[in-house]
Amino acid sequence: RPTSPNIDALAKDGTVFVNSWSHAPSTRYSMPAILTGRLPLDVYYDYSINWPGLLPKATTIAEVLKPLGFATGAITNYEYFDPRRHFNQGFDEYDNSDAALHGAVPGKGPEETHGSSSKQQTDKAIAYVDRHAADRWFLWVHYYDPHYAYEAHSEVPSFGSDPMALYDGEIRFTDMHLGRLFEELRA
């Protein structure tokens, strides 16, 4: 299915890794590993809160880049990235306000939410790029929409109503908004 035309176009101009492996099968362990460049068992976790965050002694990529003259920004959109978990370490700008657009499903765990934020995430990312166009910058933008529970989006073609079709529609919706960001970066 044509789920990711913008990502596919970007891949044609870049390097594509045929094989990849996740740090961990869960956001709560893979994101800290990605942000600190450490294997999950080597991350300095803060276990004092549910779903661990980072301890202040953990060094994030933003903390490495900031002294090198980079403006650092993060635009996240999930309750897990609340600043109490210290994922904001080293970021000049840290915005997790779009987490409010993803609501919990009563009686379900944190892996199931409803809502959408790809448009808002991209709007904020474009504004960040525009503000820092003359600077050296690093920006982490987290897209959460292709997560269960999958929802239909009228702005993109429908692939059907079964779970896989809805998931593919979520990818296409997020890809549409990534395309807006890619276009801004090209400009």
Side-chain angles (χ1 to χ4, degrees):
R1 293 178 174 158
T3 58
S4 52
N6 291 298
I7 293 171
D8 295 346
L10 179 68
K12 286 180 185 176
D13 293 333
T15 300
V16 175
F17 293 87
V18 177
N19 297 303
S20 64
W21 292 264
S22 174
H23 289 88
S26 168
T27 298
R28 65 182 148 183
Y29 295 108
S30 62
M31 289 309 303
I34 290 168
L35 282 177
T36 62
R38 300 176 71 92
L39 294 173
L41 293 176
D42 293 328
V43 171
Y44 299 115
Y45 292 107
D46 178 356
Y47 290 106
S48 71
I49 52 178
N50 187 27
W51 276 51
L54 296 174
L55 287 173
K57 71 179 182 177
T59 303
T60 68
I61 187 169
E63 290 174 300
V64 171
L65 293 174
K66 196 170 173 177
L68 299 175
F70 283 79
T72 56
I75 303 166
T76 59
N77 56 345
Y78 186 52
E79 188 274 331
Y80 177 60
F81 299 113
D82 184 275
R84 76 181 185 274
R85 290 192 177 84
H86 306 288
F87 291 114
N88 60 340
Q89 289 180 195
F91 287 99
D92 300 315
E93 298 178 39
Y94 190 86
D95 182 347
N96 192 46
S97 61
D98 286 342
L101 300 175
H102 294 277
V105 175
K108 302 292 182 176
E111 70 283 353
E112 187 170 343
T113 65
H114 62 82
S116 176
S117 63
S118 288
K119 178 189 181 311
Q120 293 83 352
Q121 291 294 98
T122 297
D123 290 346
K124 290 176 180 183
I126 288 171
Y128 182 92
V129 169
D130 289 347
R131 277 194 313 278
H132 296 284
D135 304 326
R136 294 177 73 192
W137 54 268
F138 168 77
L139 177 63
W140 164 31
V141 185
H142 188 85
Y143 286 88
Y144 189 77
D145 287 351
H147 278 72
Y148 195 73
Y150 309 127
E151 300 171 25
H153 298 278
S154 61
E155 301 92 328
V156 297
S158 173
F159 298 113
S161 59
D162 63 277
M164 182 59 77
L166 290 170
Y167 173 69
D168 286 349
E170 291 272 27
I171 295 170
R172 181 66 182 255
F173 179 73
T174 300
D175 179 82
M176 177 182 76
H177 290 291
L178 281 170
R180 294 174 43 229
L181 179 56
F182 297 162
E183 185 59 36
E184 182 70 13
L185 291 170
R186 281 192 283 285

